[in-house]
Each structure stands twice: as structure tokens, then as C-alpha cells.
């Protein structure tokens, strides 16, 4: 479909043309296919981004301009092949310039345009910050090279402690990879997001990018293999988890395993039902949060 790059169309159908351009940011309509029953999570507010790379939609994120980081990313799982690609970090030009092409673009080697810097996180925010770039939608959950490259956009990452990113959270991503690959027979929809601090918001140096207290993830696989081993029965059709991103957090949501290796201690991930996850999200966001349409039972 011709988009913002077709000037004649834009002039002739100015209203329709600008609606098309605006659709990459501010509206999930062009990328609803990444959500179960085309139904994005309810209860959270932000700027929808249809994440586009090489002229194809790859996944969707709800972005917070104030936090310069996402509330969640939604995507469809596909079994990966090969190694993790080396990262080329990208930004979203349409957050800085409403009329811009909606394809994500690799950061230039030199200085970054000031409107881009204002509208989103840039690499300098993370460099020397004591936080890693934690993917919400991980490259591990995708098959095609382009889908994997597309996860390396800073609107899909949050500041995540190494102890979580290289520890229990990575184990969760690998467990979900193995479980969905082995027993999910149709589409698997995944939504991964964050929970902010209740008070005393944490920021990366420079006070530009907000740090989450927890990360959460849930999947919906409506069509699965009925002969799943007994110990995995509770993981279908839905499964959810919350991970700590701060060793000092209290233990009401996720208890700490004090016998864990020191470098991972305090970054535990707790598996839970989708219902329990939604209860915590509803409590922490002070509004009813629903991740999947009819809790994936529809
Ligand atoms: C990061 O820290 C190192 C070591 O202190 C320093 O050499 C480097 O210039 C810093 N990089 C940036 C981008 O601040
Ligand atoms: C992810 O799943 C694929 C398909 O089963 C498997 O080949 C691969 O080893 C898994 N990767 C990790 C890191 O778990
Ligand atoms: C379902 O799981 C069983 C046991 O792991 C396996 O033998 C069978 O091939 C699977 N069926 C499908 C359709 O994948
Ligand atoms: C956790 O608490 C310790 C000791 O009070 C402090 O040094 C550290 O910076 C805190 N960590 C975070 C992530 O706030």
C-alpha cells in the first residue's frame, strides 16, 4: 500500500493520507494482528507504535513518551533458528516527526537529531548507566532475520539489571521458547511489559528514561497439544510471570530465593496464573488491566 512516500496521493487525499501516516504511531489499527483476537491489552494508556522494519509490521508496543520507554510489547512467537544477531540499535523517526516514514532506522554513528533525542531514549542514555537494554519482545522468540533485527529498537527495551537480564529473566525467555515450540500447535501471542515503582520513580542518569521495578510476561496459546506432560498442564492455554528488576524490592509480588547465586540473587522470576498477574497489574496501576481477550478462553 502506498504510504507517506506517495506525495500525489497525500495531496489528493490529504485527510486520508495523513491518517495513514499517523497510523504508525498513535494507533494499533495497522498491527492488531499481533494481539489475540486483535484485542490489545486494556487498562494501560500510552502511545501505540506499530513497529515497522523493512516496510513490514513486526510487532506492536505501547510507548510512554514521559518515561521514554515502553509499557509493553505484543508479538507472535515463532521458533528461532541460529544465534542471536548482533545488535544494531534503532530509533523511531515518526515519534520525532509525525510525517516521517514509519520504518525504524539504525542510529547514525555521529550526533543524533535533537527532536529524536527529545522524543525517545538514545544509546547514550544506556551507556555507562549500570542498566542493560532489556528487550520486552526478545529476538529469541522470532524466526526470520528481519523479525529478530526489528526487536533492537529502543522503544522495545527498558533499563534492566544485568542480574535479571542474564539470569532468571533469560531463563524465563528460554523456558517460554521451549514450551511454546514443543506444545503450542497454532499461534502463540505474547505480551511483555513493566510495572513502575509506586513512588520514588527510578531513572537512568540524566533523568530521561524511567527504570521499571518489575517486568511481566504472559502468553496465550489457544490451540495446544493435549498430551502435554502433567507438570506443564498449568502452562496452557495461558501462562504468566513477574520478574524483579531491583534486589531491594519488597517480597509481596515476587519472593527472593536467598540460596540463588549471588549475581542473580534478588532478581527472581515468579510464575503465576494470568489471573494472578492481572490482579497485581490492576492493583499497581489502580485500574482494571486485562492482558488477553476473555483471558484467552474465547
Ligand atoms: C563510559 O565510561 C568509560 C570509563 O569510565 C569512559 O571511558 C567512557 O568515555 C564513558 N562513555 C561515555 C559515552 O560516557
Ligand atoms: C529455542 O527453541 C528452539 C526450537 O525448539 C531451539 O532449537 C533452541 O535451542 C531454543 N533456544 C533456547 C536458547 O532455548
Ligand atoms: C503431542 O505431544 C506428544 C508427546 O510429547 C507428541 O508425541 C506428539 O507428536 C505431539 N503432537 C503434535 C500434533 O505435535
Ligand atoms: C539497594 O540497596 C543497597 C543498600 O542500601 C544500595 O547500595 C543499592 O544501590 C540499592 N539498589 C538499588 C537498585 O536501588
Amino acid at each position: 500500500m502506498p504510504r507517506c512516500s506517495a506525495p500525489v496521493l497525500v495531496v489528493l487525499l490529504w485527510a486520508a493520507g495523513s491518517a495513514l501516516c499517523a497510523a504508525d504511531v498513535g494507533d494499533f489499527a495497522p498491527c492488531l494482528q499481533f494481539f489475540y483476537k486483535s484485542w490489545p491489552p486494556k487498562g494501560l494508556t500510552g502511545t501505540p507504535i506499530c513497529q515497522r522494519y523493512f516496510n513490514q509490521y513486526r510487532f506492536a508496543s505501547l510507548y510512554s513518551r514521559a518515561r521514554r520507554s515502553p509499557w509493553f510489547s505484543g508479538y507472535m512467537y515463532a521458533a528461532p533458528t541460529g544465534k542471536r544477531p548482533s545488535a544494531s540499535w534503532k530509533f523511531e523517526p515518526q515519534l520525532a516527526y509525525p510525517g516521517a516514514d514509519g520504518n525504524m532506522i539504525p542510529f547514525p554513528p555521529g550526533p543524533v537529531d535533537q527532536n529524536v533525542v527529545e522524543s525517545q531514549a538514545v544509546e547514550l542514555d544506556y551507556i555507562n548507566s549500570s542498566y542493560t537494554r532489556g528487550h520486552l519482545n526478545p529476538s529469541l522468540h522470532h524466526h526470520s532475520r528481519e523479525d529478530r533485527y526489528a526487536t533492537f529498537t529502543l522503544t522495545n527495551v527498558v533499563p534492566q539489571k544485568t542480574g535479571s537480564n542474564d539470569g532468571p529473566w533469560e531463563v524465563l525467555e528460554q523456558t517460554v521458547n521451549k514450551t511454546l515450540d514443543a506444545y503450542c500447535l497454532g499461534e502463540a501471542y505474547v505480551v511483555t511489559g513493566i510495572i513502575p515503582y509506586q513512588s520514588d520513580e527510578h531513572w537512568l542518569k540524566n533523568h530521561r528514561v524511567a527504570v521499571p521495578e518489575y517486568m511481566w510476561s504472559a502468553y496465550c496459546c489457544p490451540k495446544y497439544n493435549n498430551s502435554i506432560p502433567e507438570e506443564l498442564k498449568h502452562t496452557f492455554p495461558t501462562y504468566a510471570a513477574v520478574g524483579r528488576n531491583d534486589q531491594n524490592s519488597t517480597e509481596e509480588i515476587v519472593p527472593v530465593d536467598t540460596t540463588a547465586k549471588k549475581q542473580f540473587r534478588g532478581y527472581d522470576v515468579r510464575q503465576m496464573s494470568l489471573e494472578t498477574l492481572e490482579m497485581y497489574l490492576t492493583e499497581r496501576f489502580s485500574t482494571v488491566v486485562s492482558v488477553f481477550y476473555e483471558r484467552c478462553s474465547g
Side-chain angles (χ1 to χ4, degrees):
M1 183 177 20
R3 300 189 67 95
C4 314
S5 53
V8 176
L9 188 75
V10 172
V11 170
L12 289 180
L13 302 170
W14 184 79
S18 46
L20 280 179
C21 294
D24 283 334
V25 63
D27 189 354
F28 278 139
C31 54
L32 285 173
Q33 68 268 29
F34 299 112
F35 299 107
Y36 175 60
K37 302 266 190 207
S38 300
W39 198 89
K42 299 291 177 284
L44 304 176
T45 50
T47 302
I49 298 178
C50 287
Q51 299 279 12
R52 196 142 64 97
Y53 182 57
F54 272 129
N55 282 320
Q56 269 186 43
Y57 292 116
R58 309 288 170 173
F59 62 102
S61 301
L62 188 70
Y63 179 69
S64 166
R65 285 184 183 270
R67 302 171 63 81
R68 291 196 183 83
S69 51
W71 291 116
F72 64 73
S73 287
Y75 60 95
M76 275 157 75
Y77 168 84
T81 46
K83 284 208 294 249
R84 171 189 163 120
S86 59
S88 156
W89 288 99
K90 295 176 271 302
F91 66 94
E92 308 291 329
Q94 76 279 27
L95 283 176
Y97 297 98
D101 184 301
N103 283 296
M104 56 182 79
I105 300 178
F107 281 105
V112 179
D113 179 292
Q114 197 54 34
N115 285 352
V116 171
V117 174
E118 278 308 312
S119 61
Q120 54 206 288
V122 295
E123 294 191 286
L124 270 179
D125 287 313
Y126 282 89
I127 293 170
N128 289 352
S129 74
S130 88
Y131 284 88
T132 64
R133 303 167 206 194
H135 281 79
L136 296 186
N137 171 12
S139 82
L140 174 66
H141 290 177
H142 296 284
H143 178 75
S144 87
R145 238 170 30 146
E146 290 72 24
D147 283 355
R148 302 186 82 175
Y149 288 152
T151 64
F152 291 85
T153 171
L154 289 186
T155 54
N156 177 47
V157 311
V158 294
Q160 185 180 13
K161 281 288 185 190
T162 308
S164 163
N165 205 359
D166 293 352
W169 193 260
E170 183 177 22
V171 173
L172 170 73
E173 289 175 345
Q174 290 172 352
T175 305
V176 167
N177 173 48
K178 297 222 166 79
T179 310
L180 290 178
D181 182 57
Y183 301 108
C184 186
L185 298 179
E187 270 91 40
Y189 300 89
V190 188
V191 180
T192 298
I194 64 101
I195 301 177
Y197 285 87
Q198 268 175 314
S199 55
D200 189 24
E201 195 79 85
H202 289 42
W203 300 84
L204 291 187
K205 58 184 171 104
N206 304 341
H207 217 271
R208 282 174 34 87
V209 182
V211 173
E213 183 173 7
Y214 297 96
M215 293 171 70
W216 57 268
S217 185
Y219 68 65
C220 162
C221 163
K223 210 166 142 247
Y224 53 94
N225 187 334
N226 279 313
S227 35
I228 336 167
E230 199 53 43
E231 68 273 16
L232 289 177
K233 284 248 155 73
H234 70 284
T235 66
F236 285 94
T238 65
Y239 173 91
V242 174
R244 300 167 63 95
N245 192 36
D246 185 338
Q247 293 179 297
N248 297 345
S249 290
T250 57
E251 301 190 45
E252 286 119 42
I253 303 181
V254 186
V256 170
D257 173 4
T258 51
T259 67
K261 275 199 192 144
K262 190 144 183 275
Q263 80 233 69
F264 303 134
R265 202 175 297 159
Y267 296 113
D268 306 66
V269 168
R270 175 184 155 200
Q271 300 174 20
M272 57 183 71
S273 66
L274 177 64
E275 213 171 330
T276 304
L277 171 66
E278 289 183 345
M279 182 198 75
Y280 286 123
L281 295 178
T282 295
E283 192 180 297
R284 292 291 293 247
F285 285 95
S286 304
T287 182
V288 176
V289 177
S290 305
V291 180
F292 297 116
Y293 176 75
E294 291 189 350
R295 291 211 174 112
C296 186
S297 66

